[in-house]
Amino acid sequence: RAKQDGKRQYRFALGQDSESGLQQLRIEAQLWHALERQQLQVYYQPVLRHGRIESLEALLRWFHPELGSIGPDVFIPMAEQQGLILPIGDWVLREACRQLKQWHLGGRPDLCVAVNVSVRQLRGGGFVQTVAAALAESGLPPAKLELELTESWLMADPAGCAEVMHALRALGVSISVDDFGTGYSSLAYLKRLPVQRLKIDHTFMRDVPADPQTTCIVRAIISLARELQLDVVCEGIETPEQQNFVLGLGDLALQGFGLHRPAPAAELWPLLMGQAAFRTED
Ligand code: C2E
Ligand code: MG
Ligand code: MG
Ligand code: MG
């Protein structure tokens, strides 16, 4: 009987596997058309400092008419594998710069935008020109553009990335290390690479302030950043407890569902304008 159950389970697992494999193929095939069929949309998640929105992180969304909404954790790795990350990444960059310029013209010239960049884009050749073109086309000042590079990708080949990063800095854009603390970071490289910001990965926030070890690590990252004169963003702030705890550790920028979820540009506009009006009053 146990054997039978085991068999049934196995068959079930197999069935599920081939189905999810099929689904994967279906998604991959559709990804080729996502851009031209205008199924991609950029959402923006506010990053706050002292309760005020300082910048917005561009987060890609894919809405497929039959497959539904597919998350970037699923399709970005596929896009990287298929070489589609170059056209898709290029589109996100242009779209984010264009949107920010709109917000600047609309009354919030202080805002910055953060765009996630895959190391494949960085190393693909021509990336500096792509960024320069997106800036020129939109008229967005380079200092208002921040590029986010994931720690694990960056540290896999810091020397290979360094040259492009220096060229990007020369353009005037700033560079952040995303998902900081999840990979292996060489502190020597961190000092040598032209990086302005660390974004502490959201997985750390899950356990603060309850877990003493995680709390200790977060404290250490923040003091390291201070020594290296790097700005810090805490990602994944969901509760007031987490917010109060990290704010006690220094002058940080905060991002998380507890502050604001990623949202379409049009939905954010009243909020952004509300803060602009508030500022002119004081
Ligand atoms: P990321 O750059 O680390 O972005 C932050 C992710 O954390 C986003 O997930 C965001 O929705 C989520 N998040 C924000 N606040 C909270 C919170 O309080 N709790 C939790 N648990 N999560 C929170 P999302 O939008 O699903 O994006 C996932 C990843 O996909 C991004 O991680 C980024 O690495 C990648 N990605 C998104 N858009 C792009 C893009 O245009 N280009 C590239 N290359 N990668 C992108
Ligand atoms: Mg990011
Ligand atoms: Mg992150
Ligand atoms: Mg991430």
Side-chain angles (χ1 to χ4, degrees):
R1 190 173 156 129
K3 212 175 171 182
Q4 214 179 357
D5 276 349
K7 236 183 197 168
R8 205 176 294 141
Q9 226 173 336
Y10 178 61
R11 216 177 282 134
F12 176 69
L14 232 188
Q16 236 190 2
D17 256 47
S18 58
E19 197 169 303
S20 70
L22 211 78
Q23 181 75 342
Q24 164 121 1
L25 284 177
R26 214 176 277 142
I27 294 174
E28 279 180 9
Q30 294 295 309
L31 188 53
W32 285 91
H33 304 293
L35 246 189
E36 63 181 36
R37 292 181 185 163
Q38 303 184 328
Q39 293 165 351
L40 299 181
Q41 195 183 346
V42 182
Y43 272 38
Y44 296 88
Q45 187 178 31
V47 176
L48 289 88
R49 191 186 298 269
H50 308 139
R52 190 179 152 81
I53 298 173
E54 171 181 81
S55 70
L56 297 115
E57 178 173 6
L59 293 164
L60 197 54
R61 298 288 178 262
W62 179 16
F63 299 100
H64 189 277
E66 281 111 43
L67 300 171
S69 112
I70 300 158
D73 281 333
V74 173
F75 73 82
I76 293 286
M78 289 179 181
E80 281 172 348
Q81 265 177 348
Q82 301 181 0
L84 284 171
I85 195 65
L86 295 182
I88 290 176
D90 191 14
W91 179 79
V92 174
L93 193 62
R94 281 166 199 270
E95 180 58 24
C97 290
R98 187 200 59 76
Q99 181 58 63
L100 248 285
K101 182 63 183 183
Q102 289 293 107
W103 282 336
H104 280 197
L105 295 173
R108 285 299 303 270
D110 55 306
L111 294 174
C112 292
V113 69
V115 178
N116 292 286
V117 172
S118 151
V119 167
R120 290 214 177 214
Q121 288 171 271
L122 196 74
R123 314 250 7 236
F127 185 64
V128 181
Q129 290 92 309
T130 300
V131 174
L135 289 168
E137 207 178 84
S138 61
L140 186 73
K144 299 298 184 189
L145 177 63
E146 175 187 339
L147 300 174
E148 297 191 2
L149 293 162
T150 299
E151 178 188 45
S152 49
W153 278 100
L154 189 59
M155 290 302 157
D157 181 21
C161 294
E163 194 185 332
V164 181
M165 290 170 74
H166 281 288
L168 290 168
R169 276 301 287 158
L171 278 184
V173 307
S174 68
I175 301 172
S176 304
V177 181
D178 202 355
D179 302 348
F180 189 81
T182 55
Y184 155 85
S185 245
S186 154
L187 297 184
Y189 267 117
L190 203 55
K191 203 174 165 219
R192 234 181 300 154
L193 290 173
V195 162
Q196 285 72 57
R197 246 181 178 197
L198 302 182
K199 298 192 76 171
I200 304 178
D201 192 67
H202 64 87
T203 51
F204 289 99
M205 291 309 132
R206 247 184 352 224
D207 303 324
V208 297
D211 177 54
Q213 268 175 325
T214 310
T215 302
C216 182
I217 293 171
V218 171
R219 257 185 230 282
I221 294 175
I222 292 169
S223 81
L224 167 80
R226 193 178 294 131
E227 292 297 320
L228 295 175
Q229 293 179 304
L230 298 173
D231 190 27
V232 176
V233 181
C234 286
E235 299 191 289
I237 301 290
E238 293 182 359
T239 69
E241 289 74 33
Q242 292 166 339
Q243 186 174 339
N244 291 335
F245 169 74
V246 294
L247 284 179
L249 299 180
D251 183 20
L252 310 168
L254 307 178
Q255 181 180 1
F257 294 160
L259 299 159
H260 217 290
R261 292 201 167 249
E267 218 171 276
L268 286 165
W269 181 233
L271 179 71
L272 297 173
M273 271 326 276
Q275 289 190 349
F278 180 73
R279 191 169 68 154
T280 52
E281 275 163 23
D282 53 74

